[in-house]
């Protein structure tokens, strides 16, 4: 079992702290509080720990993830529905590389839209905000950088040597 006070990543809610162990209906649960929404409680069955929870990224893992992001090509899926389906599948996977992929691709798309004075559609914008928040929250912990400064830090790392 994970210890109370441990900071973990929930597949769908991001960075959380384990605050309690509970028993409900004869089953053991972790109670988690999301780091950036302390008014919310999430209950995870202990038997689903491996499926829903993972350790926070280390600095070395964060460096590897930044390297991966640096190498993501700039090709975009033009069809909005196809892009949405691909990104939602990736987001639901809970895989950090999929999250990084979404963030990088949508960042590229957003910049392309800005250059042509086109609109960044609501579906893309909403997913970008959610994925970006989850990724940057975790990277801020891995790099021990305040959340308000992590975007600039990550951008510099991705674009160094450009």
């Amino acid at each position: 079992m994970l210890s109370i006070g441990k900071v973990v990543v929930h597949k769908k809610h991001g960075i959380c702290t384990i605050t309690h162990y509970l028993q409900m209906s004869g089953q053991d649960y972790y109670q988690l509080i999301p780091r950036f929404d302390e008014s919310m409680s999430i209950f995870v069955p202990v038997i689903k720990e491996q499926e829903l929870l993972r350790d926070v990224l280390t600095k070395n893992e964060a460096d590897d993830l930044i390297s991966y992001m640096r190498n993501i090509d700039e090709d975009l899926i033009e069809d909005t529905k196809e892009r949405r389906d691909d990104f939602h599948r990736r987001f639901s996977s809970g895989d950090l590389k999929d999250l990084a992929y979404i963030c990088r691709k949508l960042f590229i798309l957003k910049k392309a839209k800005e250059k042509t004075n086109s609109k960044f559609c609501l579906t893309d914008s909403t997913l970008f905000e959610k994925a970006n928040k989850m990724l940057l929250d975790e990277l801020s912990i891995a790099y021990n950088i305040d959340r308000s400064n992590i975007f600039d830090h990550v951008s510099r790392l991705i674009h160094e040597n450009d």
Side-chain angles (χ1 to χ4, degrees), residues 19-31:
T19 58
H20 295 92
Y21 299 119
L22 315 162
Q23 248 199 4
M24 295 186 285
S25 303
Q27 190 172 8
D28 293 328
Y29 284 82
Y30 296 113
Q31 180 180 6

Side-chain angles (χ1 to χ4, degrees), residues 15-157:
I15 303 295
C16 296
T17 303
I18 298 172
T19 58
H20 295 92
Y21 299 119
L22 315 162
Q23 248 199 4
M24 295 186 285
S25 303
Q27 190 172 8
D28 293 328
Y29 284 82
Y30 296 113
Q31 180 180 6
L32 309 174
I33 303 295
R35 186 174 192 146
F36 297 102
D37 185 2
E38 294 182 3
S39 65
M40 179 183 204
S41 283
I42 302 164
F43 297 93
V44 175
V46 171
I47 61 171
K48 299 258 185 180
E49 172 186 324
Q50 297 297 316
E51 182 182 332
L52 298 174
L53 305 177
R54 65 173 173 77
D55 287 332
V56 176
L57 208 58
T58 66
K59 183 185 179 305
N60 287 340
E61 291 167 334
D63 290 340
D64 290 344
L65 188 66
I66 295 296
S67 180
Y68 166 76
M69 290 177 76
R70 206 180 279 133
N71 292 312
I72 293 173
D73 64 56
E74 296 203 9
D75 296 337
L76 298 169
I77 300 170
E78 294 299 328
D79 181 83
T80 305
K81 182 185 179 323
E82 186 181 334
R83 182 174 58 246
R84 181 198 65 214
D85 292 347
D86 178 54
F87 288 173
H88 281 287
R89 180 187 53 77
R90 288 175 184 270
F91 189 83
S92 296
S93 77
D95 182 90
L96 197 53
K97 279 191 172 180
D98 281 341
L99 200 61
Y101 178 89
I102 293 166
C103 289
R104 184 75 175 128
K105 289 288 191 172
L106 286 174
F107 181 79
I108 292 166
L109 177 63
K110 184 177 182 181
K111 291 299 176 192
K113 296 283 186 183
E114 287 173 359
K115 284 181 183 175
T116 61
N117 289 324
S118 302
K119 288 194 174 189
F120 190 49
C121 79
L122 183 60
T123 302
D124 289 334
S125 179
T126 301
L127 184 59
F128 179 63
E129 287 176 23
K130 192 171 184 179
N132 206 33
K133 179 189 178 315
M134 286 181 72
L135 180 66
L136 293 176
D137 287 350
E138 189 163 356
L139 288 172
S140 73
I141 291 173
Y143 285 120
N144 195 26
I145 293 175
D146 187 79
R147 177 64 174 81
S148 62
N149 298 320
I150 194 65
F151 179 82
D152 291 337
H153 179 75
V154 169
S155 290
R156 276 192 304 277
L157 292 174

